[in-house]
Amino acid sequence: MKKIKIGLLGFGTVGQGVWKILNSNMDEIISKCGYEIEIKKILVKDINKKRCVDVPKEILTTNSDDIFYDEEIKIIVELIGGAHPAKEYIIKAAECKKHIVTANKLVVASFADEIFKAVNENNVMIYYEASVGGGIPIIKGINESLTANKIKEITGIVNGTTNYILTKMTDEGLEFEEALKQAQNLGYAEADPTSDVEGFDAVYKLAIMASLSFNTSVDINSIYREGIGRIKAVDIEYAKRFGYVIKLLAIAKEEDNLELRVHPAMVEKNHPIANVGDSFNAIFIKGNAVGDLLLCGRGAGDLPTGSAVVSDIISIIRNNFDVPYNFNYEVNSSKMPIKQSKEFISKYYIRLDVKDQAGVLGQIANIFGQHNISILSVTQDVFAEHKVNLVFVTHDAKYGNIVDSLEKIKTLNSVNGIENVIRIYEFN
Amino acid sequence: MKKIKIGLLGFGTVGQGVWKILNSNMDEIISKCGYEIEIKKILVKDINKKRCVDVPKEILTTNSDDIFYDEEIKIIVELIGGAHPAKEYIIKAAECKKHIVTANKLVVASFADEIFKAVNENNVMIYYEASVGGGIPIIKGINESLTANKIKEITGIVNGTTNYILTKMTDEGLEFEEALKQAQNLGYAEADPTSDVEGFDAVYKLAIMASLSFNTSVDINSIYREGIGRIKAVDIEYAKRFGYVIKLLAIAKEEDNLELRVHPAMVEKNHPIANVGDSFNAIFIKGNAVGDLLLCGRGAGDLPTGSAVVSDIISIIRNNFDVPYNFNYEVNSSKMPIKQSKEFISKYYIRLDVKDQAGVLGQIANIFGQHNISILSVTQDVFAEHKVNLVFVTHDAKYGNIVDSLEKIKTLNSVNGIENVIRIYEFN
C-alpha cells in the first residue's frame, strides 16, 4: 500500500479526533484516496502528558523543526489554535513546501492575505474546512459546489456553545447564567466563555465565509457584533409567544454593499434553522442559481471537526500532492464597501420596563413615530406592583433610528429602563 | 481569456438553466476556474422549436456527431434524460475522450458499472451532482467532504413533487388528487406523475447515494418501494394529532446488512426535516466521525439543477482537464447483502375501518399480540353511523409480522378494511 506521511502541530481535542479517525476508518480512507495516511510526528508541549488516546511516545516531539524539515512529511496539520505561533507555523510550513490543513478560524480570518500569499508562492495547497462549522462541508460547499453562483447571502448559527445555551433557555426556561454553567459542566463552554458568548468566534467564522462567498477580503473588525449575555428568560418567553425562537446569527448579505453582523435574533419558529438546537450549527446560503440551501451538523467536537480535517487531507492527496498545484485561489485584495450598522434594516423586538401609569404608551409611541419607526404590535404585562413590561415589535426600521429613539425614550420619567432590543430576522 | 468549449446533449429545462447561468454569472465562473466557458454546440430534436432563451441557431444541431467528433469540445453535458440513448451517448462521449457531466439519475442509477468502466478506461472524468437533489451538494458531499467517514445512514426527501403534494395536503387539508392537480398546474408534476408519485424517481436517487455511501453496487430492483398515492387527508390529520408530519423518505442504512427503502413515513414534527416543505429536498447523513448532517435545498428546477451542472463543469476544469486524470473511483463490483422488507423494523401507524360494535378492539389486539406486535396507542373516532376509524400506533415491529397480522385482521367480520399502514420513522 502506498503511504503518505503527515505531521500534526498540536494534539488537543481535534488532534486526538484525527488520530481516532485514522485508526478506525483507514479502509474507507484508502478506498477514497489510494493511500494509507500515517501520522509521523506530532508537536506537543509536554510529551508525558496523559492523553485519551494511546500514542507511541517516539512520534511526539517538542521541536517543530522535526516536522518542518522532515522530507518524508508532505502535509502539515495545524491544530494548536490561537493566533501565534499558529500563523507563523502555517507560513513556515508553506515555505518548507508542505501542504497545509488547519482548523484555525482565528488565523484564517485574521491573516488570510499573508497565508494565501505564502501558499501560492510556494505552490502548496491549504485546506481549512474545519475552521467553520466543524464537520459541515461549508468551505468546500462555497469553493467547489456553488461555483456557478453569485452568492447573495450566507447566514448561520455557527457557534455551538451559544446555540446550546439558547436551546437550554428555550426548552427549560433557564436564565442565561444557569444555562452557561450547564454548558461549562458539559465541556461545551470554556471556563472563560467570552469568545463564544460575546460572538467573537462567530465573527471569525463569518469573516471566512463572507470572504469566500463575496470574493472580498473581510476585516474582522468591520463586522458588527453583539453577544447573547443580555438575553433573559423573559425575552425567550416573549419570542415564543410571538412565534419566534432566539438564535445567535452570523449574517452576511449583499444589498448595495456588504452587510456583516453577528447578533442574537428572533427567527420564525417554522423556519428549518429554528429547529436546529443543542450544539448543532446550521448555515443558510442563497445563491442566484441554486436558490436557498441549508447545511446543518455538529459544529465542534473531536470527531466532527476531525472528519473535516481528515477529509481535507484526502482532498490534498487526490489533488496530486506531488505535482505542482495548478489552481490558485486569488488573494482577494479587493474590499467591498461595508454597510454601517446604523443602516441595518430589520424588525425589532424592544422590551421596556415602565411605570404602570397613564400616558406612558402614548409618550413612547410618539417618539417612535418621530423617528420613522412604525409599530407592528404592543404587549403589556404587569410583572410587579406598578411595574410593567412593555414590549414593542416594530415594522422594518433602521438601526440608527432605533438607537436615536431609545436614547430619548430612556429619558422619560415613566421609563425605568430599556431592558432589551433584539432583531427579528426574516429569511427571504 | 482562456476559453473552454463544451457541448450540450439536450436543451430542455436544465439545459436552458445552464445557458442562463453561463450568461449571467460568467465573471464569477472565470474567477473560480480561470477559464471562460463557451457552449459550442447543442444537440436538439428540432432546431426551430420556440425556446425561453435566445440561442443562435448555428450552435444547434440535430446530429450528435457534430459534438462527439468536435476536437475543440472538451466536455459533454448530457441532459436529454431517460435511459436511451442517454446511456449510449455517455459511453460514446467517454470513448471520444470527452469529460462528462450528467443530470441523469436513471442512467447513473441503472448503468453505473458500464459507465464508470468506460470513463476509467478512457481516462476521462464524469460528474453527476445534478442527478440527486438538484443544487444540493450531496454527491460532492459524500465523495469529497465526508471521505474520512464510515457512513452509517443516508435518508432524505429527494423528490420535490411528492414533497410539494404532501406539504399542500398538510397545510391545506387537501386530498391527494387535489394536491396532485395543483402540482401539475404549477409544472411541479408531470402529466403522467407515476415516476414521482410512485417513488421510482426517489429509488434512482437512493441507489446513487447508497452506492457512493456504502461502496457497493446497488441494484435499483433491490430497493423496497411504496408511493404516496394511498395517503388520505385523514392520515395527515392523525399524523398531526400524534405530533408527526408525513414525508416520502428514501432510506439507506447499514444494520448488519444494507436496508434500502422508499416509502411515506411519519417523522416527528420537531425534526428539522419535518419542516422542509414545498418542493424542497433534504438529505440526512450519519457518519461515524461527522455525526449527523442535514443538507436542504431546491431539488429541481432549471437554475438549481443548472447550478450543479455548471459547478461540475468548473470542477472538471479545475481538476486539470487536459492532463490524465489521476484518481479513479473504483467500480464497485462488490454487493452488500440487502435486508429483506419483512425484516424492516419500525413503529407503525395502522388505520382500520371497523364496525362500531363491542369486542372489535379485543379481537384485533389479540391478533397483534399473537404476532409479537406491541401497541403504543389506540385512537377511535366515529366517522359515520356505525363506522369507526380505529388507529393503532405500534411499538417497533417487524414488517413481516405486520403483514401477517393484517392478513388475519382483514378477515374479521367486524373489520371493513385496512385503510392505511404508514411507517413512523425515528432518526436516531
Side-chain angles (χ1 to χ4, degrees):
Chain A
M1 178 50 57
K2 293 181 292 182
K3 196 179 266 190
I4 181 133
K5 298 191 181 179
I6 68 173
L8 305 192
L9 307 177
F11 201 54
T13 307
V14 179
Q16 295 179 40
V18 170
W19 179 272
K20 286 181 205 165
I21 292 168
L22 290 178
N23 271 286
S24 61
N25 294 357
M26 192 50 75
D27 288 349
E28 281 74 21
I29 291 166
I30 290 171
S31 82
K32 295 289 182 184
C33 71
Y35 283 79
E36 189 182 329
I37 298 170
E38 181 191 317
I39 298 179
K40 190 175 177 197
K41 282 277 173 209
I42 303 174
L43 178 69
V44 294
K45 276 198 191 132
D46 175 1
I47 287 177
N48 296 310
K49 186 177 160 184
K50 195 106 183 92
R51 294 182 170 87
C52 299
V53 295
D54 201 25
V55 177
K57 269 202 184 143
E58 59 273 22
I59 74 168
L60 301 179
T61 176
T62 56
N63 181 357
S64 62
D65 286 351
D66 289 349
I67 294 175
F68 289 121
Y69 298 110
D70 185 321
E71 285 288 316
E72 281 192 332
I73 289 177
K74 303 291 184 192
I75 300 171
I76 290 183
V77 182
E78 185 277 305
L79 301 170
I80 55 175
H84 308 284
K87 172 200 157 192
E88 291 72 20
Y89 280 170
I90 289 173
I91 289 172
K92 186 161 182 187
E95 289 165 354
C96 294
K97 312 293 178 195
K98 312 294 190 193
H99 302 295
I100 300 150
V101 175
T102 179
N104 194 321
K105 61 212 163 227
L106 173 55
V107 163
V108 177
S110 307
F111 309 112
D113 294 1
E114 282 172 81
I115 288 172
F116 287 108
K117 187 163 166 282
V119 158
N120 287 342
E121 282 175 1
N122 290 286
N123 250 313
V124 295
M125 294 176 253
I126 184 166
Y127 278 79
Y128 46 98
E129 182 65 80
S131 67
V132 182
I136 302 173
I138 180 64
I139 304 294
K140 279 212 179 85
I142 301 169
N143 273 346
E144 300 181 19
S145 295
L146 301 177
T147 46
N149 287 266
K150 274 186 202 166
I151 293 179
K152 310 306 286 176
E153 174 176 352
I154 183 156
T155 291
I157 299 168
V158 291
N159 180 271
T161 307
T162 47
N163 204 36
Y164 177 85
I165 292 170
L166 290 170
T167 303
K168 277 277 156 187
M169 291 176 71
T170 302
D171 292 351
E172 301 174 19
L174 302 185
E175 285 294 353
F176 169 77
E177 292 74 14
E178 302 167 272
L180 170 61
K181 203 165 292 169
Q182 287 195 11
Q184 285 170 323
N185 291 341
L186 284 165
Y188 285 162
E190 315 264 338
D192 174 0
T194 313
S195 174
D196 292 320
V197 162
E198 292 303 325
F200 292 99
D201 175 85
V203 160
Y204 304 142
K205 292 166 177 169
L206 184 65
I208 296 172
M209 295 193 298
S211 297
L212 295 172
S213 300
F214 299 101
N215 272 316
T216 186
S217 166
V218 170
D219 177 353
I220 53 176
N221 298 307
S222 68
I223 298 179
Y224 175 86
R225 182 185 52 74
E226 265 178 40
I228 65 163
R230 286 173 55 93
I231 308 285
K232 303 281 181 224
V234 62
D235 298 314
I236 304 256
E237 270 314 305
Y238 278 113
K240 273 188 202 169
R241 221 202 270 185
F242 301 149
Y244 297 112
V245 176
I246 299 181
K247 296 290 182 190
L248 180 68
L249 295 186
I251 300 165
K253 57 181 174 177
E254 200 190 337
E255 283 186 0
D256 307 327
N257 39 32
L258 189 58
E259 197 169 318
L260 295 169
R261 43 194 174 111
V262 168
H263 55 70
M266 296 190 181
V267 297
E268 246 186 65
K269 76 173 192 316
N270 288 326
H271 191 275
I273 218 169
N275 290 297
V276 174
D278 200 40
S279 67
F280 277 87
N281 282 194
I283 299 159
F284 167 88
I285 308 165
K286 187 188 274 300
N288 74 339
V290 75
D292 293 352
L293 201 64
L294 184 70
L295 313 180
C296 317
R298 290 263 172 218
D302 57 347
L303 296 179
T305 310
S307 166
V309 169
V310 174
S311 298
D312 274 354
I313 295 170
I314 293 171
S315 293
I316 288 176
I317 296 173
R318 287 181 11 182
N319 276 336
N320 301 323
F321 64 90
D322 47 8
V323 300
Y325 187 43
N326 77 317
F327 183 75
N328 289 333
Y329 290 105
E330 291 296 315
V331 176
N332 285 305
S333 48
S334 75
K335 294 218 188 254
M336 279 176 77
I338 305 293
K339 192 183 273 189
Q340 296 301 306
S341 65
K342 66 177 198 278
E343 302 295 326
F344 293 166
I345 290 174
S346 70
K347 290 184 178 170
Y348 282 84
Y349 156 97
I350 299 168
R351 179 166 60 85
L352 308 176
D353 171 354
V354 303
K355 298 196 174 80
D356 190 6
Q357 61 190 37
V360 186
L361 182 57
Q363 288 176 311
I364 296 171
N366 276 341
I367 296 176
F368 281 138
Q370 287 154 14
H371 288 84
N372 239 332
I373 295 163
S374 161
I375 303 301
L376 181 67
S377 78
V378 186
T379 309
Q380 182 172 320
D381 296 294
V382 177
F383 68 94
E385 206 176 341
H386 305 305
K387 296 188 81 171
V388 170
N389 266 327
L390 194 56
V391 176
F392 293 88
V393 175
T394 73
H395 283 286
D396 272 347
K398 274 197 186 175
Y399 185 52
N401 292 346
I402 295 283
V403 169
D404 293 345
S405 63
L406 292 176
E407 278 304 314
K408 282 202 189 151
I409 286 168
K410 80 179 172 198
T411 65
L412 295 175
N413 266 331
S414 52
V415 172
N416 299 320
I418 314 286
E419 294 300 298
N420 221 337
V421 179
I422 303 175
R423 289 173 181 81
I424 295 170
Y425 194 73
E426 291 171 320
F427 291 87
N428 48 25
Chain B
M1 179 49 61
K2 293 182 293 180
K3 196 180 266 190
I4 180 134
K5 298 190 179 180
I6 67 173
L8 304 191
L9 307 177
F11 202 53
T13 307
V14 179
Q16 296 179 40
V18 169
W19 179 271
K20 287 182 205 167
I21 292 169
L22 290 178
N23 271 285
S24 62
N25 294 356
M26 191 50 76
D27 288 348
E28 283 72 22
I29 290 167
I30 290 171
S31 82
K32 295 289 183 185
C33 71
Y35 282 79
E36 189 183 329
I37 298 170
E38 180 192 319
I39 298 179
K40 190 175 179 199
K41 282 278 173 209
I42 303 174
L43 178 70
V44 294
K45 275 197 191 132
D46 175 1
I47 288 177
N48 296 308
K49 186 176 161 186
K50 195 102 185 93
R51 295 182 169 86
C52 299
V53 295
D54 201 25
V55 177
K57 268 199 185 146
E58 59 273 23
I59 74 168
L60 301 179
T61 175
T62 55
N63 180 357
S64 62
D65 285 352
D66 289 349
I67 294 176
F68 290 121
Y69 298 110
D70 186 321
E71 285 288 317
E72 283 192 331
I73 289 177
K74 302 293 182 191
I75 300 171
I76 290 182
V77 182
E78 184 278 305
L79 300 170
I80 55 174
H84 309 284
K87 171 199 158 194
E88 290 72 20
Y89 280 170
I90 289 174
I91 289 173
K92 185 161 182 188
E95 289 165 354
C96 294
K97 311 292 178 196
K98 311 295 190 193
H99 301 296
I100 300 149
V101 174
T102 178
N104 193 321
K105 60 209 164 230
L106 173 54
V107 163
V108 178
S110 308
F111 309 112
D113 295 1
E114 281 173 82
I115 287 172
F116 286 107
K117 187 163 167 283
V119 158
N120 287 342
E121 282 175 359
N122 290 286
N123 249 313
V124 295
M125 294 177 252
I126 184 167
Y127 277 80
Y128 47 98
E129 183 66 80
S131 67
V132 183
I136 301 173
I138 181 63
I139 304 294
K140 279 212 180 86
I142 302 170
N143 273 348
E144 300 181 19
S145 295
L146 301 177
T147 46
N149 288 265
K150 274 185 201 164
I151 292 179
K152 310 305 287 177
E153 174 176 353
I154 183 155
T155 291
I157 300 168
V158 291
N159 181 272
T161 306
T162 47
N163 205 36
Y164 178 86
I165 291 171
L166 291 169
T167 303
K168 278 277 157 187
M169 291 175 71
T170 302
D171 292 351
E172 300 175 19
L174 302 186
E175 286 293 352
F176 169 76
E177 292 74 14
E178 300 168 274
L180 170 61
K181 203 165 292 168
Q182 287 196 11
Q184 285 170 323
N185 290 341
L186 283 165
Y188 285 164
E190 315 264 337
D192 173 1
T194 313
S195 173
D196 293 319
V197 162
E198 293 304 324
F200 292 100
D201 176 83
V203 160
Y204 304 142
K205 292 166 176 169
L206 184 64
I208 296 171
M209 295 193 297
S211 297
L212 294 172
S213 299
F214 299 102
N215 272 317
T216 186
S217 167
V218 170
D219 177 353
I220 52 176
N221 298 307
S222 69
I223 298 178
Y224 175 85
R225 181 184 53 74
E226 266 179 41
I228 65 163
R230 286 172 55 92
I231 309 284
K232 303 280 181 225
V234 62
D235 298 313
I236 305 256
E237 270 314 304
Y238 277 113
K240 274 188 202 172
R241 220 202 270 186
F242 301 149
Y244 297 112
V245 176
I246 300 182
K247 295 290 181 190
L248 180 69
L249 294 186
I251 300 165
K253 56 180 175 177
E254 198 190 338
E255 283 186 2
D256 309 326
N257 38 31
L258 189 57
E259 197 168 319
L260 296 170
R261 44 195 175 110
V262 168
H263 55 70
M266 296 189 181
V267 297
E268 246 186 65
K269 76 173 193 314
N270 288 326
H271 192 277
I273 218 170
N275 291 296
V276 174
D278 200 40
S279 68
F280 277 87
N281 283 193
I283 298 160
F284 167 87
I285 308 166
K286 187 188 275 299
N288 74 339
V290 76
D292 293 351
L293 201 64
L294 184 70
L295 314 181
C296 317
R298 290 264 173 216
D302 57 347
L303 296 179
T305 310
S307 167
V309 169
V310 174
S311 298
D312 274 355
I313 295 170
I314 293 171
S315 293
I316 287 176
I317 296 173
R318 287 183 9 183
N319 275 337
N320 301 324
F321 65 90
D322 47 8
V323 301
Y325 186 42
N326 79 316
F327 182 76
N328 288 333
Y329 290 104
E330 292 296 315
V331 176
N332 285 306
S333 46
S334 76
K335 293 217 187 255
M336 279 176 75
I338 305 293
K339 191 183 272 189
Q340 296 300 304
S341 65
K342 65 177 199 272
E343 302 295 326
F344 294 166
I345 290 174
S346 70
K347 290 182 178 171
Y348 282 84
Y349 156 97
I350 299 167
R351 178 166 61 84
L352 308 177
D353 172 354
V354 304
K355 298 196 175 82
D356 191 6
Q357 60 190 35
V360 186
L361 182 58
Q363 288 176 311
I364 296 170
N366 275 341
I367 296 176
F368 280 137
Q370 286 154 16
H371 288 83
N372 238 332
I373 296 164
S374 162
I375 303 301
L376 181 67
S377 79
V378 186
T379 308
Q380 182 171 322
D381 296 293
V382 178
F383 67 94
E385 206 176 341
H386 305 306
K387 294 188 84 173
V388 170
N389 265 328
L390 194 58
V391 175
F392 293 88
V393 174
T394 74
H395 282 286
D396 273 346
K398 275 197 186 176
Y399 185 52
N401 293 345
I402 296 283
V403 169
D404 293 345
S405 65
L406 292 176
E407 279 303 315
K408 281 203 189 150
I409 286 167
K410 79 178 173 199
T411 65
L412 295 175
N413 266 331
S414 52
V415 172
N416 298 319
I418 315 286
E419 293 301 296
N420 220 337
V421 178
I422 303 174
R423 290 173 179 82
I424 295 169
Y425 195 72
E426 291 170 321
F427 291 87
N428 48 24

